[in-house]
Amino acid sequence: MTGTLLVVDVGNTNIVVGGYRGEKLLVELRFSTDPSRTIDEYEAMLRVLLHQKLGAELNVTGAIVSSVVPPITSTMVRLLKERFGVEALIVGPGIKTGLSVRVPDPVSVGADRIVNAVAAKNLFGTPALVIDFGTATTFDYVSAAGAYEGGVIAPGPMVALESLVRNTAKLPRIEFSWPKTVVGNSTVTQMQSGAVVGYLALVDGLIDRMLKETG
């Protein structure tokens, strides 16, 4: 039986697991990031979900982990080795990705941003601007030569909205949805305009500035 490669992306909010056979994505799983969970809990969740999706096809023969949450990185590495019998490749300094990182401190670039840049380079070619909406929204520039040249980190849209609600006395929690008009006629619609349309303006503005700066 051909083996399955597990690819694990540990983010600040979610952990996403993909199962590949060759170049084919067989399964994609998503569960919340929680450093307090034990290795047994993560194994139970992962095995149940993988069995539901793959059934008897489950035969893990390799794993790659990209993580921005160090405590969970070690948990995942132990889980894959002790419970699935595979040594995980960790995305980080020293591994060959085919991507040159041209910043003063390459180690400071998050693993998630490296794999995003590698994916963009391989799937779409370069130059490329890669935008990833998560807990933070990151903008990464890959030059025509295929090198990572830097980028931008901004608060993610949900983080920005949560901060607004948490740090004001009277503003309510709202649904993150597109308002009918930019000029709102209530507190809720005005907040939706700021959170959604305002964030779009931030994204568009940064794209325009990055394009002008990089040529």
Side-chain angles (χ1 to χ4, degrees):
M1 181 188 296
T2 305
T4 299
L5 171 69
L6 290 184
V7 292
V8 183
D9 176 21
V10 181
N12 289 296
T13 304
N14 292 306
I15 298 173
V16 184
V17 180
Y20 277 89
R21 185 156 305 148
E23 304 236 344
K24 183 181 180 182
L25 177 63
L26 300 176
V27 61
E28 181 180 326
L29 313 172
R30 182 182 298 267
F31 41 93
S32 60
T33 302
D34 185 353
S36 69
R37 284 194 182 118
T38 66
I39 189 172
D40 295 319
E41 290 173 309
Y42 276 119
E43 180 190 15
M45 294 169 62
L46 194 53
R47 282 196 183 277
V48 167
L49 291 170
L50 286 172
H51 184 73
Q52 286 177 350
K53 300 286 187 177
L54 297 177
E57 295 184 73
L58 181 59
N59 177 34
V60 178
T61 55
I64 301 174
V65 176
S66 165
S67 175
V68 295
V69 188
I72 295 184
T73 308
S74 56
T75 299
M76 285 294 158
V77 170
R78 280 187 56 214
L79 167 64
L80 291 163
K81 182 176 182 178
E82 297 175 9
R83 311 298 170 88
F84 288 89
V86 293
E87 292 279 354
L89 174 67
I90 309 300
V91 178
I95 75 162
K96 295 181 179 180
T97 63
L99 182 78
S100 173
V101 181
R102 295 179 182 171
V103 296
D105 183 14
V107 176
S108 69
V109 182
D112 54 338
R113 302 176 75 180
I114 295 297
V115 295
N116 282 349
V118 170
K121 179 181 177 180
N122 290 330
L123 292 171
F124 304 107
T126 56
L129 174 57
V130 189
I131 306 175
D132 185 352
F133 294 89
T135 307
T137 297
T138 57
F139 300 70
D140 294 307
Y141 170 57
V142 185
S143 68
Y148 176 87
E149 301 284 356
V152 175
I153 302 173
M158 298 310 296
V159 169
L161 182 57
E162 177 63 26
S163 176
L164 178 65
V165 172
R166 188 175 61 247
N167 290 288
T168 54
K170 297 180 68 175
L171 294 182
R173 295 189 184 279
I174 63 168
E175 181 183 354
F176 191 82
S177 60
W178 193 273
K180 292 181 180 179
T181 60
V182 175
V183 180
N185 59 7
S186 69
T187 298
V188 170
T189 55
Q190 289 176 30
M191 290 177 67
Q192 287 174 331
S193 185
V196 182
V197 184
Y199 203 84
L200 173 63
L202 176 149
V203 172
D204 285 343
L206 283 172
I207 291 172
D208 288 343
R209 288 172 181 267
M210 291 179 75
L211 290 176
K212 289 175 183 176
E213 190 170 286
T214 61

